Amino acid sequence: MAAATPALTVDKMHKSFGQLEVLKGISLTANDGDVISILGSSGSGKSTFLRCINLLETPDEGVVTVAGETIKMRRRRDGRAEPADRRQVDRIRSELGMVFQSFNLWSHLTVLENVRIALQRRRGGSFDFWRSKRVLHALDERALALIADVGLAPYADALATELPYGRKRALEIATTLALDPTMLLLDEPTSGMGHEDIARISALIKSVAATRTVLMVEHNLSVVADLCDRITVLTRGQVIAEGDYATVSADPAVREAYLGTGDD
């Protein structure tokens, strides 16, 4: 029986900003249904790595394959990255849903309206603010189902700006799921949350991971220990350890570089 094709492979990814080399040949593989965390202290390259996978930043070198679509980055003779093929970039991005640290919501629209806009984007059309209510409400059933999935059914008619902090993160995840990605990229999903919100968002991520691959940058070790199948630890743009939580947390290099240095 042939082995399943990985959901994501990253091979020897490099990224520099000027003279500062942020990523130094990082490789990673994620299979369908994996929940993988990227750990590392501040400045280790975690968020840059996530942005390069989603091609929001163009890597200088490396190969990214998502759902069978491969894009190769190479340096030109002047040392700069060659421009990426826009069609390939769009195809890869269509498979990836990214939730950023900062909120990316329509603050003065309702929860339902935010999710409905995301569904319109997935459909490939323009944002139909001017269409009749009948046309817009055709998306309501799916939007309300997504809202219920992330625990926001009581807030469907609330303005996004009025939501508590943790509920805003849940809405971000709902609008991302509306795009129907095969993989979620989460950048510090529990940052700034209290214990109750952390528990709620962790449970939501676990639920989402039942049908999708999840790659997350996260500094909260209890979240990582509970959620993640595998952990990749970065230091100064390089992988220093990989494995499950027990393996990684016992690694002397990890303890010195990350676990013993305090917060990310």
Side-chain angles (χ1 to χ4, degrees):
M1 181 175 177
T5 301
L8 167 74
T9 57
V10 179
D11 187 39
K12 298 178 181 177
M13 180 180 284
H14 293 259
K15 177 64 180 177
S16 297
F17 295 100
Q19 298 300 311
L20 178 63
E21 190 174 12
V22 179
L23 303 178
K24 306 173 183 177
I26 296 179
S27 298
L28 180 143
T29 299
N31 296 312
D32 288 336
D34 281 350
V35 182
I36 299 176
S37 180
I38 309 298
L39 284 181
S41 57
S42 180
S44 62
K46 308 184 302 298
S47 292
T48 298
F49 184 46
L50 218 59
R51 290 177 65 85
C52 283
I53 290 172
N54 202 32
L55 302 173
L56 296 170
E57 301 280 358
T58 303
D60 300 325
E61 293 181 35
V63 180
V64 176
T65 301
V66 178
E69 183 73 34
T70 297
I71 188 166
K72 298 180 180 180
M73 278 67 65
R74 300 181 180 87
R75 295 181 197 262
R76 302 184 305 199
R77 290 184 179 180
D78 62 6
R80 297 182 180 180
E82 289 184 355
D85 183 291
R86 177 52 53 185
R87 288 171 298 180
Q88 282 188 302
V89 170
D90 289 344
R91 286 195 293 268
I92 283 179
R93 283 184 179 169
S94 72
E95 300 290 341
L96 302 173
M98 185 151 177
V99 177
F100 299 89
Q101 286 189 50
S102 57
F103 295 119
N104 187 26
L105 299 171
W106 298 83
S107 297
H108 296 290
L109 296 180
T110 67
V111 167
L112 174 59
E113 288 167 337
N114 269 272
V115 177
R116 196 163 60 195
I117 286 171
L119 288 170
Q120 290 177 52
R121 178 182 167 194
R122 177 63 182 178
R123 190 182 61 187
S126 59
F127 296 151
D128 304 327
F129 296 110
W130 56 89
R131 294 294 185 90
S132 68
K133 288 185 177 180
R134 180 184 60 80
V135 173
L136 292 177
H137 289 336
L139 300 172
D140 283 356
E141 183 177 358
R142 176 58 180 151
L144 289 169
L146 284 165
I147 289 167
D149 286 346
V150 300
L152 291 180
Y155 299 88
D157 295 322
L159 296 179
T161 191
E162 297 173 348
L163 293 177
Y165 188 90
R167 303 289 186 178
K168 288 181 180 177
R169 180 65 70 211
L171 177 54
E172 284 263 46
I173 293 174
T175 59
T176 304
L177 292 177
L179 304 177
D180 199 24
T182 58
M183 174 179 283
L184 278 187
L185 308 179
L186 307 176
D187 195 359
E188 301 278 14
T190 67
S191 178
M193 291 185 185
H195 293 298
E196 183 178 344
D197 282 336
I198 288 173
R200 183 181 295 113
I201 295 302
S202 295
L204 175 55
I205 293 170
K206 185 174 289 187
S207 173
V208 168
T211 56
R212 287 175 174 84
T213 304
V214 176
L215 182 62
M216 58 190 288
V217 166
E218 179 55 60
H219 70 283
N220 189 313
L221 297 182
S222 63
V223 171
V224 170
D226 181 55
L227 284 179
C228 297
D229 305 303
R230 196 164 80 251
I231 299 165
T232 295
V233 185
L234 303 184
T235 295
R236 296 174 184 168
Q238 295 178 301
V239 176
I240 61 168
E242 289 184 293
D244 60 20
Y245 181 79
T247 300
V248 166
S249 62
D251 190 302
V254 174
R255 297 180 68 84
E256 179 180 355
Y258 178 68
L259 297 178
T261 62
D263 292 338
D264 184 7

